[in-house]
Amino acid sequence: MYNVIMDCDPGHDDAIALLLASRADNIRILGVTTVAGNSTLENVTRNARRVLDYAGVTDVDVYAGANKPLMRELYRLTGAIIHGEDGLGGPEIPEAVTPVRPEHAVEFIIRTLRECPEKVVLVPTGPLTNIAMVLTQAPDVKEKIERIVIMGGAIYDPGNVTSAAEFNIYQDPEAARIVFQSGCDIYLNTLDISMKAVFYEEDKERIRAKGGRIPTFVAELLDFFGATHVEHFGFFACPIHDALCVGVLIDENLVTWEHTYVDVSVAEELTRGETVADLWNVTGHAPNCHIARTVNRERFVEMITEHMGRSYVSKGRP
Ligand code: BDR
Ligand code: CA
Protein backbone atom coordinates (compact mmCIF):
# COMPACT_ATOMS: atom_id res chain seq x y z
CA MET A 1 0.00 0.00 0.00
CA TYR A 2 1.38 3.43 -0.94
CA ASN A 3 0.68 6.36 1.41
CA VAL A 4 0.25 9.28 -0.94
CA ILE A 5 -0.13 13.05 -0.78
CA MET A 6 -1.58 14.44 -4.00
CA ASP A 7 -0.33 18.00 -4.63
CA CYS A 8 -2.36 19.38 -7.51
CA ASP A 9 -3.99 22.24 -9.45
CA PRO A 10 -7.28 20.80 -10.83
CA GLY A 11 -7.41 20.99 -13.83
CA HIS A 12 -9.14 18.22 -15.83
CA ASP A 13 -6.25 15.76 -15.76
CA ASP A 14 -5.55 16.51 -12.07
CA ALA A 15 -9.20 15.73 -11.34
CA ILE A 16 -8.91 12.37 -13.12
CA ALA A 17 -5.65 11.68 -11.24
CA LEU A 18 -7.53 12.24 -7.96
CA LEU A 19 -10.33 9.94 -9.05
CA LEU A 20 -7.88 7.23 -10.10
CA ALA A 21 -5.93 7.42 -6.81
CA SER A 22 -9.16 7.26 -4.83
CA ARG A 23 -10.24 4.09 -6.67
CA ALA A 24 -6.86 2.28 -6.54
CA ASP A 25 -6.56 -0.75 -4.25
CA ASN A 26 -2.94 -0.01 -3.32
CA ILE A 27 -3.16 3.77 -2.66
CA ARG A 28 -4.10 5.46 0.60
CA ILE A 29 -4.53 9.22 0.09
CA LEU A 30 -3.31 10.98 3.25
CA GLY A 31 -4.39 14.38 1.99
CA VAL A 32 -4.78 16.58 -1.06
CA THR A 33 -2.87 19.86 -1.30
CA THR A 34 -3.38 22.56 -3.88
CA VAL A 35 -1.12 25.02 -5.65
CA ALA A 36 -1.83 27.87 -8.06
CA GLY A 37 -1.17 26.68 -11.61
CA ASN A 38 -3.93 25.87 -14.07
CA SER A 39 -5.98 28.56 -12.36
CA THR A 40 -5.86 30.68 -9.21
CA LEU A 41 -5.35 29.00 -5.86
CA GLU A 42 -8.95 29.77 -4.93
CA ASN A 43 -10.29 28.09 -8.08
CA VAL A 44 -8.10 24.98 -7.96
CA THR A 45 -8.82 24.47 -4.25
CA ARG A 46 -12.54 24.75 -4.88
CA ASN A 47 -12.19 22.27 -7.75
CA ALA A 48 -10.24 19.73 -5.68
CA ARG A 49 -12.78 19.81 -2.88
CA ARG A 50 -15.83 19.56 -5.10
CA VAL A 51 -14.37 16.72 -7.22
CA LEU A 52 -13.60 14.72 -4.07
CA ASP A 53 -17.05 15.37 -2.61
CA TYR A 54 -18.70 14.45 -5.90
CA ALA A 55 -16.71 11.20 -5.93
CA GLY A 56 -17.68 10.34 -2.35
CA VAL A 57 -14.16 10.93 -1.01
CA THR A 58 -15.24 12.96 2.00
CA ASP A 59 -12.70 11.56 4.48
CA VAL A 60 -9.70 12.97 2.57
CA ASP A 61 -8.92 16.57 3.53
CA VAL A 62 -7.90 19.38 1.19
CA TYR A 63 -5.30 22.00 2.16
CA ALA A 64 -4.58 25.14 0.13
CA GLY A 65 -0.94 26.00 -0.53
CA ALA A 66 1.04 28.54 -2.52
CA ASN A 67 -0.95 31.17 -4.39
CA LYS A 68 1.91 32.01 -6.76
CA PRO A 69 5.30 30.68 -7.84
CA LEU A 70 8.31 31.29 -5.56
CA MET A 71 9.78 34.21 -7.49
CA ARG A 72 7.40 34.98 -10.35
CA GLU A 73 3.82 35.93 -11.03
CA LEU A 74 1.37 33.19 -12.00
CA TYR A 75 1.22 32.68 -15.76
CA ARG A 76 -2.51 32.46 -16.54
CA LEU A 77 -2.87 32.18 -20.32
CA THR A 78 -2.40 28.49 -21.18
CA GLY A 79 -4.27 27.24 -18.10
CA ALA A 80 -7.30 29.35 -18.93
CA ILE A 81 -7.27 28.29 -22.59
CA ILE A 82 -6.94 24.57 -21.87
CA HIS A 83 -8.92 24.20 -18.61
CA GLY A 84 -11.34 27.15 -18.77
CA GLU A 85 -11.44 30.28 -16.59
CA ASP A 86 -12.28 28.41 -13.38
CA GLY A 87 -9.83 25.58 -14.10
CA LEU A 88 -12.49 22.90 -14.62
CA GLY A 89 -14.62 23.91 -17.58
CA GLY A 90 -17.34 21.58 -18.86
CA PRO A 91 -19.30 19.41 -16.44
CA GLU A 92 -21.54 21.04 -13.85
CA ILE A 93 -21.00 19.58 -10.42
CA PRO A 94 -22.28 20.91 -7.08
CA GLU A 95 -20.29 23.04 -4.68
CA ALA A 96 -18.46 21.09 -2.01
CA VAL A 97 -20.06 20.52 1.36
CA THR A 98 -16.88 19.36 3.13
CA PRO A 99 -14.81 22.41 4.14
CA VAL A 100 -11.21 23.05 3.08
CA ARG A 101 -8.89 22.68 6.11
CA PRO A 102 -7.40 25.86 7.62
CA GLU A 103 -3.81 24.53 7.83
CA HIS A 104 -1.45 25.63 5.03
CA ALA A 105 -0.59 22.86 2.56
CA VAL A 106 3.14 23.15 3.25
CA GLU A 107 2.59 22.79 7.01
CA PHE A 108 0.28 19.84 6.41
CA ILE A 109 2.85 18.04 4.24
CA ILE A 110 5.67 18.63 6.74
CA ARG A 111 3.54 17.54 9.70
CA THR A 112 2.27 14.45 7.89
CA LEU A 113 5.75 13.38 6.83
CA ARG A 114 7.00 13.75 10.39
CA GLU A 115 4.07 11.99 12.02
CA CYS A 116 3.37 9.17 9.57
CA PRO A 117 4.75 5.84 10.84
CA GLU A 118 5.46 4.79 7.25
CA LYS A 119 7.14 6.45 4.27
CA VAL A 120 5.05 8.66 2.00
CA VAL A 121 4.95 9.17 -1.78
CA LEU A 122 4.47 12.74 -2.96
CA VAL A 123 2.57 13.11 -6.24
CA PRO A 124 2.83 16.68 -7.52
CA THR A 125 0.79 17.29 -10.66
CA GLY A 126 1.04 21.08 -10.71
CA PRO A 127 3.86 23.61 -10.33
CA LEU A 128 6.40 22.43 -7.72
CA THR A 129 6.05 25.46 -5.43
CA ASN A 130 4.63 23.66 -2.37
CA ILE A 131 7.08 20.78 -2.61
CA ALA A 132 10.07 23.14 -2.90
CA MET A 133 8.82 25.02 0.18
CA VAL A 134 8.55 21.76 2.12
CA LEU A 135 12.08 20.70 1.17
CA THR A 136 13.65 24.06 2.04
CA GLN A 137 11.69 24.65 5.26
CA ALA A 138 12.08 21.13 6.65
CA PRO A 139 14.98 19.21 5.07
CA ASP A 140 14.63 16.58 7.83
CA VAL A 141 11.45 15.25 6.18
CA LYS A 142 13.36 14.03 3.10
CA GLU A 143 14.07 10.72 4.80
CA LYS A 144 10.32 10.09 5.10
CA ILE A 145 9.71 10.62 1.37
CA GLU A 146 9.59 7.28 -0.40
CA ARG A 147 9.65 8.95 -3.80
CA ILE A 148 8.32 11.98 -5.63
CA VAL A 149 6.34 11.18 -8.78
CA ILE A 150 6.09 14.36 -10.81
CA MET A 151 4.11 15.34 -13.89
CA GLY A 152 6.36 17.82 -15.58
CA GLY A 153 9.01 18.57 -18.15
CA ALA A 154 9.73 17.66 -21.74
CA ILE A 155 13.08 16.11 -22.55
CA TYR A 156 13.06 14.37 -25.92
CA ASP A 157 10.03 16.21 -27.30
CA PRO A 158 9.00 19.89 -27.32
CA GLY A 159 7.20 21.68 -24.50
CA ASN A 160 3.62 22.89 -24.50
CA VAL A 161 4.05 26.48 -23.29
CA THR A 162 7.19 27.23 -25.27
CA SER A 163 9.05 24.72 -27.39
CA ALA A 164 11.53 24.44 -24.51
CA ALA A 165 9.17 24.15 -21.55
CA GLU A 166 6.27 22.15 -20.21
CA PHE A 167 3.57 24.05 -18.28
CA ASN A 168 4.19 22.91 -14.67
CA ILE A 169 7.94 23.51 -14.82
CA TYR A 170 7.53 26.75 -16.79
CA GLN A 171 5.25 28.13 -14.07
CA ASP A 172 7.83 27.76 -11.30
CA PRO A 173 11.27 26.81 -12.60
CA GLU A 174 13.03 27.91 -9.39
CA ALA A 175 10.88 25.52 -7.37
CA ALA A 176 11.48 22.70 -9.84
CA ARG A 177 15.22 23.23 -9.57
CA ILE A 178 15.06 22.93 -5.77
CA VAL A 179 13.12 19.69 -6.05
CA PHE A 180 15.43 18.13 -8.66
CA GLN A 181 18.49 19.02 -6.59
CA SER A 182 16.98 17.79 -3.30
CA GLY A 183 18.45 14.30 -3.33
CA CYS A 184 14.97 12.73 -3.13
CA ASP A 185 14.12 9.75 -5.33
CA ILE A 186 12.38 11.43 -8.28
CA TYR A 187 10.27 9.92 -11.05
CA LEU A 188 9.40 12.30 -13.86
CA ASN A 189 6.44 11.71 -16.17
CA THR A 190 7.15 14.11 -18.98
CA LEU A 191 5.15 15.28 -21.98
CA ASP A 192 7.31 12.83 -23.96
CA ILE A 193 5.12 10.03 -22.67
CA SER A 194 1.88 11.78 -21.70
CA MET A 195 1.41 12.96 -25.29
CA LYS A 196 1.68 9.31 -26.35
CA ALA A 197 -0.72 7.94 -23.74
CA VAL A 198 -3.63 9.83 -25.25
CA PHE A 199 -7.34 9.04 -25.18
CA TYR A 200 -9.06 8.94 -28.55
CA GLU A 201 -12.75 9.58 -29.17
CA GLU A 202 -13.56 5.86 -28.94
CA ASP A 203 -11.73 5.56 -25.58
CA LYS A 204 -13.76 8.44 -24.17
CA GLU A 205 -17.00 6.88 -25.45
CA ARG A 206 -16.10 3.56 -23.81
CA ILE A 207 -15.85 5.38 -20.48
CA ARG A 208 -19.14 7.18 -21.05
CA ALA A 209 -20.84 3.91 -22.01
CA LYS A 210 -20.12 2.47 -18.57
CA GLY A 211 -22.83 4.83 -17.31
CA GLY A 212 -23.13 6.16 -13.76
CA ARG A 213 -21.93 9.27 -12.02
CA ILE A 214 -18.13 9.07 -12.30
CA PRO A 215 -17.77 7.62 -15.82
CA THR A 216 -20.21 10.28 -17.06
CA PHE A 217 -18.30 13.03 -15.23
CA VAL A 218 -14.96 11.84 -16.67
CA ALA A 219 -16.37 11.67 -20.21
CA GLU A 220 -17.67 15.24 -19.83
CA LEU A 221 -14.28 16.39 -18.54
CA LEU A 222 -12.71 14.83 -21.62
CA ASP A 223 -15.29 16.46 -23.93
CA PHE A 224 -14.12 19.89 -22.77
CA PHE A 225 -10.41 19.04 -22.41
CA GLY A 226 -10.34 17.34 -25.83
CA ALA A 227 -12.06 20.29 -27.50
CA THR A 228 -9.58 22.83 -26.11
CA HIS A 229 -6.70 20.62 -27.28
CA VAL A 230 -8.13 20.59 -30.79
CA GLU A 231 -8.58 24.35 -30.73
CA HIS A 232 -5.24 25.28 -29.16
CA PHE A 233 -2.88 22.56 -30.40
CA GLY A 234 -4.79 21.08 -33.37
CA PHE A 235 -4.38 17.80 -31.49
CA PHE A 236 -7.27 15.34 -31.96
CA ALA A 237 -6.74 13.37 -28.78
CA CYS A 238 -6.75 13.90 -25.07
CA PRO A 239 -3.63 13.51 -22.91
CA ILE A 240 -4.53 12.82 -19.26
CA HIS A 241 -0.99 13.79 -18.22
CA ASP A 242 -1.42 13.86 -14.44
CA ALA A 243 -3.14 10.50 -14.06
CA LEU A 244 0.03 8.79 -15.33
CA CYS A 245 1.68 9.68 -12.00
CA VAL A 246 -0.95 7.60 -10.24
CA GLY A 247 -0.91 4.95 -12.98
CA VAL A 248 2.77 4.14 -12.38
CA LEU A 249 1.97 3.39 -8.73
CA ILE A 250 -0.85 1.03 -9.71
CA ASP A 251 1.07 -0.82 -12.42
CA GLU A 252 4.88 -0.78 -12.30
CA ASN A 253 5.02 -1.98 -15.90
CA LEU A 254 3.03 0.94 -17.29
CA VAL A 255 6.12 3.06 -17.94
CA THR A 256 9.83 2.35 -18.47
CA TRP A 257 12.43 4.69 -17.00
CA GLU A 258 15.90 6.02 -17.69
CA HIS A 259 18.03 7.16 -14.76
CA THR A 260 19.80 10.40 -15.59
CA TYR A 261 20.77 13.85 -14.35
CA VAL A 262 18.20 16.61 -14.88
CA ASP A 263 18.46 20.32 -14.17
CA VAL A 264 16.04 23.16 -14.94
CA SER A 265 16.69 26.41 -16.76
CA VAL A 266 15.77 29.44 -14.66
CA ALA A 267 16.79 31.80 -17.46
CA GLU A 268 14.36 34.27 -18.97
CA GLU A 269 11.89 33.55 -21.74
CA LEU A 270 13.74 31.53 -24.41
CA THR A 271 14.61 28.52 -22.24
CA ARG A 272 12.66 29.32 -19.03
CA GLY A 273 11.55 26.07 -17.43
CA GLU A 274 13.40 23.77 -19.82
CA THR A 275 14.22 20.39 -18.26
CA VAL A 276 17.78 19.73 -19.40
CA ALA A 277 18.87 16.10 -19.09
CA ASP A 278 22.44 14.81 -19.28
CA LEU A 279 21.47 11.98 -21.63
CA TRP A 280 25.03 11.17 -22.70
CA ASN A 281 26.48 11.52 -19.23
CA VAL A 282 28.85 14.28 -20.25
CA THR A 283 28.59 16.48 -17.15
CA GLY A 284 29.83 13.94 -14.64
CA HIS A 285 26.82 14.57 -12.37
CA ALA A 286 25.31 11.52 -10.70
CA PRO A 287 21.77 10.70 -11.91
CA ASN A 288 19.08 12.45 -9.84
CA CYS A 289 15.94 11.52 -11.72
CA HIS A 290 14.15 8.62 -13.40
CA ILE A 291 12.72 10.04 -16.60
CA ALA A 292 9.86 8.23 -18.31
CA ARG A 293 10.86 6.73 -21.67
CA THR A 294 7.98 4.57 -22.90
CA VAL A 295 4.37 4.06 -21.92
CA ASN A 296 1.86 1.33 -22.65
CA ARG A 297 -1.12 3.39 -23.88
CA GLU A 298 -3.58 0.49 -24.04
CA ARG A 299 -2.84 -0.50 -20.43
CA PHE A 300 -3.38 3.10 -19.31
CA VAL A 301 -6.68 3.44 -21.15
CA GLU A 302 -7.84 0.13 -19.71
CA MET A 303 -6.77 1.16 -16.20
CA ILE A 304 -8.66 4.45 -16.25
CA THR A 305 -11.76 2.89 -17.82
CA GLU A 306 -11.90 0.07 -15.30
CA HIS A 307 -11.15 2.20 -12.20
CA MET A 308 -13.77 4.82 -13.07
CA GLY A 309 -16.44 2.15 -12.69
CA ARG A 310 -15.42 1.50 -9.06
CA SER A 311 -16.76 3.04 -5.85
CA TYR A 312 -14.60 4.76 -3.27
CA VAL A 313 -13.39 2.59 -0.40
CA SER A 314 -11.67 4.40 2.48
CA LYS A 315 -8.23 2.94 3.37
CA GLY A 316 -8.19 4.40 6.88
CA ARG A 317 -4.96 5.56 8.54
CA PRO A 318 -1.53 3.90 8.37
C1 BDR B 1 0.36 19.82 -17.14
O1 BDR B 1 -0.10 21.16 -17.24
C2 BDR B 1 -1.41 21.25 -16.75
O2 BDR B 1 -2.19 22.03 -17.59
C3 BDR B 1 -1.94 19.87 -16.61
O3 BDR B 1 -2.83 19.78 -15.52
C4 BDR B 1 -0.70 19.03 -16.40
O4 BDR B 1 -0.36 18.95 -15.03
C5 BDR B 1 0.68 19.32 -18.53
O5 BDR B 1 1.67 20.11 -19.10
CA1 CA C 1 -1.93 19.62 -13.31
Side-chain angles (χ1 to χ4, degrees):
M1 178 78 66
Y2 289 112
N3 298 303
V4 164
I5 296 176
M6 303 288 295
D7 182 62
C8 58
D9 61 339
H12 297 69
D13 51 335
D14 301 82
I16 298 171
L18 290 176
L19 294 171
L20 182 60
S22 75
R23 267 67 186 158
D25 292 330
N26 66 337
I27 293 178
R28 174 189 290 123
I29 310 178
L30 301 180
V32 172
T33 55
T34 57
V35 59
N38 282 326
S39 191
T40 61
L41 181 68
E42 194 185 2
N43 283 341
V44 299
T45 305
R46 167 177 176 253
N47 293 341
R49 187 64 273 170
R50 64 196 178 114
V51 166
L52 292 171
D53 270 18
Y54 194 65
V57 192
T58 50
D59 65 336
V60 171
D61 288 327
V62 173
Y63 301 80
N67 64 3
K68 65 185 271 304
L70 293 181
M71 297 170 66
R72 304 173 191 252
E73 291 312 308
L74 187 67
Y75 162 74
R76 285 295 317 271
L77 191 62
T78 307
I81 291 172
I82 300 295
H83 298 276
E85 264 310 316
D86 74 351
L88 205 61
E92 302 276 330
I93 58 169
E95 288 305 325
V97 176
T98 314
V100 172
R101 303 291 295 174
E103 189 177 16
H104 191 282
V106 171
E107 282 166 21
F108 164 76
I109 298 173
I110 293 172
R111 178 173 62 77
T112 305
L113 288 168
R114 285 184 179 148
E115 289 175 359
C116 186
E118 296 169 9
K119 287 201 170 188
V120 175
V121 178
L122 303 181
V123 181
T125 59
L128 288 162
T129 322
N130 288 340
I131 307 300
M133 289 169 74
V134 166
L135 297 172
T136 39
Q137 287 177 26
D140 62 289
V141 300
K142 284 183 199 172
E143 64 185 33
K144 294 296 291 296
I145 300 174
E146 187 169 346
R147 59 172 105 152
I148 308 180
V149 187
I150 299 171
M151 193 290 130
I155 288 171
Y156 287 90
D157 290 343
N160 57 359
V161 176
T162 67
S163 55
E166 179 278 334
F167 181 83
N168 290 336
I169 308 294
Y170 180 87
Q171 280 282 22
D172 199 344
E174 285 80 13
R177 194 167 216 201
I178 290 170
V179 175
F180 285 118
Q181 294 180 352
S182 67
C184 292
D185 195 20
I186 294 174
Y187 286 76
L188 190 66
N189 284 300
T190 59
L191 286 182
D192 307 346
I193 63 150
S194 65
M195 289 302 229
K196 298 187 180 81
V198 292
F199 282 57
Y200 296 106
E201 196 63 19
E202 60 268 26
D203 302 318
K204 181 179 71 178
E205 292 313 320
R206 251 187 78 207
I207 297 176
R208 198 189 317 272
K210 288 179 87 84
R213 186 184 182 94
I214 297 304
T216 305
F217 175 51
V218 169
E220 288 176 0
L221 285 171
L222 297 182
D223 286 339
F224 185 96
F225 198 42
T228 58
H229 274 80
V230 174
E231 217 169 294
H232 189 62
F233 294 116
F235 192 69
F236 280 88
C238 214
I240 313 181
H241 316 275
D242 294 340
L244 276 168
C245 295
V246 177
V248 299
L249 298 177
I250 296 174
D251 177 356
E252 62 178 23
N253 296 315
L254 183 64
V255 163
T256 60
W257 307 94
E258 177 178 359
H259 203 195
T260 186
Y261 179 75
V262 178
D263 200 352
V264 179
S265 169
V266 293
E268 279 317 316
E269 212 45 32
L270 188 61
T271 62
R272 165 181 170 179
E274 181 174 7
T275 38
V276 183
D278 183 13
L279 298 172
W280 288 5
N281 196 17
V282 288
T283 67
H285 288 297
N288 62 349
C289 187
H290 304 266
I291 58 171
R293 287 296 283 127
T294 62
V295 60
N296 187 325
R297 190 196 85 87
E298 283 71 29
R299 262 174 125 121
F300 186 49
V301 170
E302 189 53 45
M303 177 192 288
I304 299 260
T305 310
E306 191 268 317
H307 280 75
M308 292 311 106
R310 299 184 181 190
S311 308
Y312 175 61
V313 179
S314 170
K315 313 293 189 319
R317 294 282 127 195

